[in-house]
Amino acid sequence: MEDAATAAASSAVVVEEERLDVLNKTGEVHRDGDYHRAVHVWIYSESTQELLLQRRADCKDSWPGKWDISSAGHISAGDSSLVSAQRELREELGISLPKDAFELIFIYLQECVINDGKFINNEFNDVYLVTTVDPIPLEAFTLQETEVSAVKYILYEEYRSLLVKEDPDYVPYEVDEQYGQLFEIIRRRYTENTVARSLSLQKQLCRYASVSLDAELTGLSNTDRKTLGLLIKAAKLMDEIFYLQAKGDQGKQREKNRKMGNKTCNLLNRKFNGKVWYSNPALRDWLKEHASASELDKLKWMYYSINKSPWSCLDENEAFLTTTDSAIKLLPEATKPVSGWKGLEYKAAFPMLKPPGANFYPPDMDKKEFKFWNDSLTEKEQIDAMGFFTVIKRHSEFSLDSSSPNHAVHGTNHLMTAHDLFSVPYSKEYNSFLRKAAELLHEAGDLAGSPSLKRLLHSKADAFLTNDYYESDIAWMELDSKLDVTIGPYETYEDAIFGYKATFEAFIGIRDDKATAQLKLFGDNLQFLEQNLPMDSAYKSKNVNAAPIRVIRLLYNAGDVKGPQTVAFNLPNDERIVKDRGTSMVMLKNVSEAKFKHILQPIADVCISKEQKGLVDFESFFTHTICHECCHGIGPHTITLPDGQKSTELQELHSALEEAKADIVGLWALKFLINQDLLPRSLVKSMYVSFLAGCFRSVRFGLEEAHGKGQALQFNWMYEKEAFILHPDETFSVDFAKVEEAVESLSREILTIQAKGDKEAADLLLQKYCKMTRPLKHALEKLESVQVPVDIYPIFSTVNEIAE
């Protein structure tokens, strides 16, 4: 069964003067029992702990005269779930609410037969919760007489009891089964133990070591300082864009959210999309404003500041906040006016599960619909659709008046149009922020003394407004300046659907000239490494460009820098540049030093055997980090698919596999360079043991994160090959006789999968080894017991003063 939004795969039929997407066959849905979609909208009052119920009109075919959901209705053909929820609330109750008032909490399959078999209801219901601060006055409602005869508020616990007793005045729901989630969600949110929650947040915060990363600025001229101040202001705008990008328009499916009979399990193919969150900036501002209200509010703000969202990066994106914690918004015109009442106040909603598509795609789009649309596009349009710098939207989302089955959107009848999706360039989507950032970069470029920095800043400013980043990426690669700047859309980790869309970020630092000169060896030997990679020669590139390496001391970062902090990055990601020019690498040395001191050394003290813990040193850690980034630039990039077509990625599997490749091939490359007498042999044992300690560091990021997932793959492979050994005292060591072969075999496995574009093999490899195995659990439990930080949280106090 296709997603209901995929018009070509669904059948539209006329039922009760509505056009619906039918999910299995064409017919009258309630006569024939066709599976279709609907929305349930519950309005909950926080202050009184009451749910709003409506009494169904006596003329209704189903459950006439009985008390039921606040509002409900079918999802009209071609409409999204959210648009339908808004429409039903407006039509039935006269309440007009924006998208951020609706929280999709679960999907419910309702299968029942009533009216002596004449009414068969097989509905997949998207269940929404709207949270208001206080009850809406009854006189504020405008009831649709053909649907609703009355409304009332009732305590949610009392309502649940009536349903359990099967009171004949109420439409029945199986509250001891799946629909009971509604009442359980409300109960959990409003019966929390404040002390226990504060302790939980304190424990989560303790996993980050706050570290000052202020770098020496004495070498900067007054002009350089002015330039730096402008760059920091531009970087802060990257934060604003990222808060919009990361807010999310999609949600994950969880099987427990559906009750499915055997006869229907083959019908439902649709993911639990439609989770819409439009409130991240509002949530941020609300938490910051109220941080001083209590100790708990302070902890909420502190942990939110690290994650830049309500989902914890180190807990596989589990929510640490709920809509209960969110911003209160006043909407005086949501209903008809009532004397003495200021208007409806609601909580800006967000989903409990982190959206995999962030805010890059429509809420109810799945992969099949995207492919169906993308296949219809011209080659240029396909490049835009799958490109780094566009968001995908739906024409119908721009119309809230979808009560008519043939409503028009932007002058086009979307039911008569083959495709509802379209792409919008970042330069348009984020124009207000990018225009300001461009002005700041142009001003900084005018001040810059370095010609290459001047070129970078002006070209990046132009790119923000034209959406063409090619020239600015070239300028970034050729940057030769004491003041080092990386700013713009780069990484694609937030797009967990395809891995296509880039998030905005910024890194500003001072170049470490001495350390940069020492690392020229790695960039100069990339082609040599490529020629000797442990994979079939047919897949090796003959034109790998040397990777320039810049070592900097980080002064400031912004945008997509949430949670665990990066120690290096290898850019750009544009395959045209990678093919013609290679990549360039930036190492954040002071970040690496902080992580080694506060994390890796304590990990080694706890997890590495007494005989080998002395081998863990900063030189090995930092050198492998360099090799990791270099190895992003070698190995397969353009891959040959089974049908002979060329491609560049393994979609959602690419990130984890690429991180694993860079890690393990980086370790292989170090040993290869040592064998060539290009690196000292004293590194051999220390690099393997430092790598082992680093495995525990990265896995603690969580198996939902690409680096953590890739590290779990490597550790479990090495442990299976007996290269890593677990001792009775629950410490680990390296078997130096077996480790080299284990590293080479995994390198070969990953490189070959990437070269062939074998997504099935990639999936099998990740499924088998990306697990929290018993040895890993032992190590992580020991680290938690002694409270070794998982990562650092950088503080940039000096530079913040410059920008003010």
Side-chain angles (χ1 to χ4, degrees):
M1 178 189 66
E2 297 288 334
D3 185 290
T6 311
S10 305
S11 305
V13 298
V14 178
V15 180
E16 302 172 349
E17 298 185 349
E18 293 179 296
R19 290 180 65 85
L20 309 179
D21 281 320
V22 176
L23 302 179
N24 57 346
K25 62 179 181 178
T26 302
E28 293 185 6
V29 292
H30 290 304
R31 182 196 69 191
D32 299 339
D34 292 328
Y35 285 84
H36 58 286
R37 299 176 62 201
V39 292
H40 289 183
V41 181
W42 293 93
I43 297 178
Y44 177 75
S45 164
E46 275 193 333
S47 64
T48 60
Q49 297 189 30
E50 293 176 313
L51 285 166
L52 178 75
L53 302 184
Q54 65 160 265
R55 186 176 182 275
R56 296 173 65 82
D58 292 333
C59 60
K60 294 294 292 180
D61 290 338
S62 61
W63 316 112
K66 295 185 183 295
W67 291 100
D68 198 5
I69 306 158
S70 307
S71 178
H74 291 131
I75 297 177
S76 298
D79 273 347
S80 72
S81 169
L82 180 60
V83 165
S84 298
Q86 291 177 286
R87 181 193 66 233
E88 293 299 328
L89 205 57
R90 185 176 64 250
E91 291 179 352
E92 292 187 352
L93 303 181
I95 302 175
S96 297
L97 290 176
K99 296 175 181 179
D100 70 348
F102 296 81
E103 178 184 358
L104 180 57
I105 52 177
F106 59 91
I107 294 177
Y108 168 65
L109 172 58
Q110 185 175 32
E111 295 175 299
C112 64
V113 180
I114 58 175
N115 297 352
D116 298 322
K118 296 177 183 177
F119 190 97
I120 306 171
N121 193 38
N122 290 321
E123 281 184 345
F124 288 105
N125 297 289
D126 291 352
V127 182
Y128 289 91
L129 183 65
V130 172
T131 302
T132 63
V133 176
D134 299 305
I136 302 168
L138 298 185
E139 56 267 39
F141 294 98
T142 303
L143 305 185
Q144 186 180 16
E145 294 181 359
T146 58
E147 298 286 336
V148 185
S149 61
V151 292
K152 72 174 182 178
Y153 275 97
I154 184 172
L155 290 169
Y156 83 93
E157 290 179 328
E158 179 184 350
Y159 177 49
R160 187 185 186 285
S161 297
L162 291 168
L163 293 178
V164 170
K165 296 174 184 176
E166 298 183 359
D167 189 298
D169 291 334
Y170 295 82
V171 175
Y173 291 97
E174 297 171 325
V175 294
D176 290 329
E177 297 187 26
Q178 200 222 355
Y179 217 91
Q181 288 181 86
L182 169 67
F183 302 96
E184 180 60 19
I185 287 169
I186 294 173
R187 185 196 65 78
R188 285 200 311 267
R189 290 183 180 181
Y190 295 97
T191 58
E192 73 170 2
N193 183 317
T194 301
V195 174
R197 190 171 180 203
S198 294
L199 289 173
S200 176
L201 282 169
Q202 285 174 346
K203 186 176 179 181
Q204 288 175 304
L205 279 163
C206 283
R207 295 177 298 179
Y208 289 91
S210 293
V211 178
S212 175
L213 290 183
D214 299 332
E216 182 60 57
L217 302 180
T218 54
L220 296 181
S221 65
N222 288 335
T223 301
D224 287 338
R225 287 172 178 263
K226 290 180 182 178
T227 303
L228 178 60
L230 293 168
L231 292 176
I232 295 167
K233 289 179 180 179
K236 289 181 177 181
L237 290 169
M238 302 302 103
D239 251 343
E240 295 299 321
I241 298 175
F242 178 69
Y243 277 112
L244 292 173
Q245 291 184 306
K247 69 190 180 181
D249 269 0
Q250 303 232 11
K252 294 180 181 178
Q253 174 185 6
R254 281 189 177 176
E255 290 303 321
K256 69 178 183 181
N257 287 332
R258 292 198 176 100
K259 173 189 171 188
M260 298 177 60
N262 291 334
K263 64 182 179 181
T264 63
C265 64
N266 292 325
L267 293 176
L268 187 60
N269 213 344
R270 184 170 61 94
K271 286 189 175 180
F272 183 15
N273 294 327
K275 280 198 169 189
V276 182
W277 185 35
Y278 295 86
S279 310
N280 200 20
L283 175 62
R284 174 198 60 192
D285 296 341
W286 177 268
L287 293 173
K288 184 177 181 180
E289 181 183 346
H290 292 82
S292 60
S294 69
E295 181 63 19
L296 177 58
D297 289 308
K298 177 183 177 182
L299 294 171
K300 289 178 189 176
W301 167 240
M302 290 173 66
Y303 200 52
Y304 175 88
S305 300
I306 291 173
N307 292 279
K308 297 191 174 184
S309 82
W311 302 289
S312 175
C313 296
L314 294 179
D315 297 295
E316 300 188 356
N317 293 319
E318 181 180 344
F320 61 92
L321 300 173
T322 71
T323 297
T324 310
D325 304 305
S326 194
I328 296 174
K329 293 188 175 183
L330 173 64
L331 207 61
E333 299 178 356
T335 67
K336 64 184 180 184
V338 174
S339 179
W341 181 54
K342 63 181 178 181
L344 189 153
E345 287 184 298
Y346 70 94
K347 288 291 187 74
F350 57 84
M352 293 177 287
L353 301 178
K354 182 178 179 181
N359 193 32
F360 301 125
Y361 306 98
D364 52 356
M365 186 208 81
D366 62 9
K367 285 186 175 183
K368 289 183 179 179
E369 184 186 9
F370 182 90
K371 186 178 186 304
F372 185 66
W373 166 65
N374 194 52
D375 288 346
S376 73
L377 302 178
T378 64
E379 184 177 353
K380 182 181 182 303
E381 290 170 335
Q382 287 182 345
I383 292 172
D384 287 339
M386 296 187 294
F388 293 126
F389 314 125
T390 60
V391 294
I392 308 302
K393 297 199 171 220
R394 192 181 289 288
H395 289 292
S396 56
E397 285 292 336
F398 288 91
S399 174
L400 297 183
D401 182 16
S402 47
S403 57
S404 168
N406 293 301
H407 65 278
V409 179
H410 298 305
T412 303
N413 185 321
H414 79 273
L415 289 179
M416 302 302 292
T417 303
H419 301 288
D420 195 24
L421 303 177
F422 67 100
S423 63
V424 180
Y426 282 2
S427 56
K428 181 177 180 181
E429 181 72 3
Y430 310 117
N431 182 263
S432 62
F433 296 111
L434 291 176
R435 189 173 63 253
K436 293 176 185 176
E439 291 172 0
L440 290 166
L441 292 188
H442 275 310
E443 187 177 350
D446 290 340
L447 289 173
S450 162
S452 64
L453 179 59
K454 186 183 293 288
R455 176 192 171 200
L456 169 63
L457 298 179
H458 285 307
S459 62
K460 187 67 70 175
D462 292 340
F464 282 164
L465 302 182
T466 64
N467 220 49
D468 183 353
Y469 287 85
Y470 187 90
E471 290 301 326
S472 67
D473 280 344
I474 296 293
W476 178 84
M477 292 185 70
E478 296 176 352
L479 180 63
D480 182 13
S481 166
K482 189 70 175 177
L483 193 56
D484 199 277
V485 183
T486 301
I487 187 168
Y490 287 106
E491 303 295 359
T492 62
Y493 299 121
E494 284 295 304
D495 178 3
I497 295 180
F498 290 114
Y500 292 156
K501 307 304 176 184
T503 49
F504 282 81
E505 60 188 3
F507 295 87
I508 301 169
I510 302 295
R511 188 176 65 190
D512 185 327
D513 292 322
K514 181 179 179 181
T516 297
Q518 290 173 339
L519 298 181
K520 191 171 183 293
L521 163 76
F522 294 96
D524 290 347
N525 281 281
L526 278 190
Q527 184 66 64
F528 189 33
L529 290 170
E530 175 80 20
Q531 290 170 355
N532 290 277
L533 283 173
M535 67 174 180
D536 193 298
S537 296
Y539 301 126
K540 296 176 182 178
S541 173
K542 295 180 174 58
N543 296 298
V544 174
N545 294 293
I549 304 173
R550 309 196 294 264
V551 180
I552 70 169
R553 303 195 72 83
L554 184 66
L555 289 172
Y556 190 78
N557 65 12
D560 189 3
V561 291
K562 65 186 189 305
Q565 298 294 298
T566 187
V567 295
F569 48 87
N570 196 59
L571 297 171
N573 290 320
D574 188 326
E575 284 296 328
R576 298 171 300 170
I577 298 176
V578 173
K579 182 180 178 181
D580 295 339
R581 306 279 302 260
T583 58
S584 187
M585 184 193 316
V586 175
M587 309 292 303
L588 313 179
K589 190 169 185 180
N590 53 345
V591 176
S592 293
E593 290 169 343
K595 290 201 180 198
F596 183 82
K597 176 182 177 181
H598 293 279
I599 302 164
L600 199 67
Q601 194 67 66
I603 285 175
D605 291 340
V606 173
C607 293
I608 304 301
S609 68
K610 182 179 179 180
E611 295 75 18
Q612 293 190 1
K613 69 174 61 177
L615 292 170
V616 177
D617 61 21
F618 177 72
E619 182 185 5
S620 299
F621 171 65
F622 190 59
T623 305
H624 178 255
T625 302
I626 297 165
C627 236
H628 169 105
E629 295 302 329
C630 283
C631 287
H632 278 306
I634 61 175
H637 287 283
T638 300
I639 58 180
T640 303
L641 299 174
D643 60 4
Q645 297 265 336
K646 298 289 184 180
S647 182
T648 58
E649 37 71 30
L650 293 167
Q651 293 186 343
E652 75 278 8
L653 305 181
H654 168 75
S655 293
L657 206 63
E658 177 62 22
E659 289 304 323
K661 179 211 81 174
D663 249 359
I664 202 69
V665 174
L667 201 56
W668 168 87
L670 285 179
K671 184 59 167 64
F672 179 81
L673 293 173
I674 290 169
N675 290 342
Q676 303 302 312
D677 294 326
L678 294 171
L679 288 173
R681 293 196 173 273
S682 59
L683 272 177
V684 174
K685 290 186 176 181
S686 62
M687 74 182 188
Y688 287 131
V689 181
S690 296
F691 176 81
L692 171 57
C695 287
F696 305 126
R697 181 182 71 88
S698 297
V699 168
R700 298 172 83 203
F701 298 158
L703 300 190
E704 289 295 311
E705 196 269 345
H707 297 80
K709 191 178 292 185
Q711 199 71 71
L713 161 61
Q714 294 168 82
F715 175 87
N716 289 327
W717 177 285
M718 303 287 278
Y719 185 80
E720 180 184 85
K721 305 299 181 186
E722 299 180 349
F724 292 163
I725 302 166
L726 174 61
H727 298 287
D729 64 353
E730 296 186 347
T731 62
F732 293 82
S733 65
V734 175
D735 186 331
F736 297 114
K738 296 180 179 179
V739 68
E740 186 172 352
E741 173 54 33
V743 167
E744 184 166 325
S745 64
L746 181 55
S747 298
R748 182 179 296 105
E749 181 79 11
I750 295 175
L751 289 167
T752 302
I753 287 173
Q754 289 184 319
K756 292 181 176 180
D758 192 340
K759 190 174 182 182
E760 181 179 356
D763 193 31
L764 289 173
L765 184 69
L766 292 170
Q767 283 188 35
K768 182 177 179 181
Y769 291 101
C770 290
K771 295 178 180 178
M772 191 58 67
T773 55
R774 185 180 61 84
L776 281 175
K777 286 180 182 177
H778 281 317
L780 299 195
E781 286 168 1
K782 288 184 69 176
L783 294 174
E784 185 175 355
S785 68
V786 297
Q787 296 187 334
V788 175
V790 177
D791 210 78
I792 65 167
Y793 178 59
I795 299 171
F796 306 106
S797 54
T798 302
V799 175
N800 277 325
E801 293 172 6
I802 291 176
E804 292 176 357

